[in-house]
Amino acid sequence: MTDLNKEHYEVTIMGSGPAGLTAAIYAARADLDPVVFEGPEPGGQLTTTTDVENFPGFSEGIMGPDLMDECREQAKRFGTEVHMKLIEDADLSERPFDITLDDGTEFPTETLIVASGARARLLGLEGESRLMGHGVSTCATCDGYFFQDDEVAVVGGGDSAMEEALHLSKFASKVTIIHRRDELRASKILSDRAFDNPKIEFLWSHEVVGVNGTKEEGVDHLEVINNKTDEVRDFPCDGLFIAIGHIPNTEIFEGQLEMDDNGYIETKPDCSKTAVPGVFATGDVQDYVYRQAITAAGTGCKGAMDAESFLQAQND
Ligand code: NAP
């Protein structure tokens, strides 16, 4: 069981990326003694990236994990309680809400700030799941180093795919970006960097339909289909990186909070309020457009301020 400091919380925060930790900093400075449950990826998606060059305040850039370590320390400095645990269930039918952790610990909270982010979307192929961590990866920053002088493939045509490919080009001898269309979705700056990189090649209008290899030896080859001609062929490579977008981590709120068709939580205009009073959604769980660390941090701030106003109104 988790050793909690309190029996009853005013503010519980689910997730520890820029949204969750910013919410924690604001809630802690408002003397609300927040508790943060870090979730399966402490620090969130920034911990799987290297240089963050677009977060204001760091003219030379900062490493993603370092930025999140700083945020966590800043939140703790003002009294935030942080646990490396998962919230497994949340009963939002009445207040205080009943929160259950993955070890069975249960406790009540007056407000809940959802900042559980999003996770990598997968292709759904048998070989992809079988070889995940054995040649298949969703994180070049985490696993790129293991592919020294290898030939690897990246699936996707967005900014993530370009970033993954650029990072992999530091280690691999060749990186092929396999994209299902013949034009990229990625921003011009990242696309141009990929086009200009001599190690990066493009396989346009192709989809990966098979991933072959063994856990012992890793990936041996892919099967790819040209979706213009329907021709299927083998594509030899040593590693496959999936970079085709994300899925919001909102499953435990299905049927409890209003969501769109893709599972993103609906918030009321210009604030973090959800359909359930006392529950606030921040960061990538409610934003599929901007999805930046700085925008997530901004909504985390809103979440804490909205929770504070909500609690104040309850006490008036
Ligand atoms: P994304 O922009 O949604 O791109 C996903 C890519 O994967 C698209 O090219 C899409 O193809 C492809 N795709 C989706 N499902 C697929 C499937 N089943 N099979 C094959 N291909 C599939 O996702 P993202 O690249 O993760 O970026 C998400 C957001 O974060 C974007 O707003 C992006 O700008 C931002 N971002 C920014 C940076 C940066 O600025 N440094 C870095 C990373 C991400 P189609 O194009 O055909 O739809």
Side-chain angles (χ1 to χ4, degrees), residues 22 36 39 59 91 117 126 138 191 199 212 223 265 273 309:
T22 303
V36 172
S59 58
D91 180 353
E126 181 276 330
T138 58
S191 302
K199 282 190 181 174
N212 298 282
E223 286 152 61
I265 298 172
K273 293 175 190 169
S309 313

Side-chain angles (χ1 to χ4, degrees), residues 45 49 51 54 121-124 155-163 178-187 189-190 193 206-208 242-246 284 288-292:
Q45 293 178 70
T49 196
D51 290 314
N54 51 12
R121 182 185 301 283
L122 297 175
L123 295 167
V155 189
D159 280 335
S160 298
M162 300 310 112
E163 278 201 333
I178 303 174
H179 183 35
R180 63 185 179 181
R181 291 188 296 137
D182 53 14
E183 63 177 345
L184 295 175
R185 176 181 298 278
S187 59
I189 185 167
L190 286 179
R193 278 187 203 167
H206 275 72
E207 292 168 43
V208 177
I242 318 284
I244 60 170
H246 292 86
D284 286 10
Y288 52 85
V289 178
Y290 299 103
R291 292 187 281 198
Q292 300 300 300

Side-chain angles (χ1 to χ4, degrees), residues 6 21 25 33 49 64 66 69 95 111-113 156 167 171 173 208 241 247 249 259 261 268 299 304 314:
K6 293 168 69 173
L21 292 176
I25 292 164
D33 297 335
T49 196
D66 294 344
D69 285 347
R95 278 197 322 113
T111 65
L112 176 64
I113 298 177
H167 184 71
F171 312 104
S173 57
V208 177
F241 288 78
I247 300 169
N249 297 317
M259 297 183 195
D261 292 345
K268 303 207 188 293
T299 60
Q314 302 301 306

Side-chain angles (χ1 to χ4, degrees), residues 73-117:
E73 287 313 306
Q74 193 175 354
K76 283 183 172 174
R77 181 182 151 213
F78 298 109
T80 304
E81 183 182 341
V82 181
H83 293 278
M84 223 192 263
K85 287 278 169 197
L86 271 65
I87 292 183
E88 197 169 74
D89 200 9
D91 180 353
L92 308 180
S93 58
E94 60 180 355
R95 278 197 322 113
F97 308 124
D98 189 30
I99 304 294
T100 308
L101 304 181
D102 54 342
D103 60 7
T105 305
E106 276 187 60
F107 66 91
T109 185
E110 293 299 326
T111 65
L112 176 64
I113 298 177
V114 183
S116 44

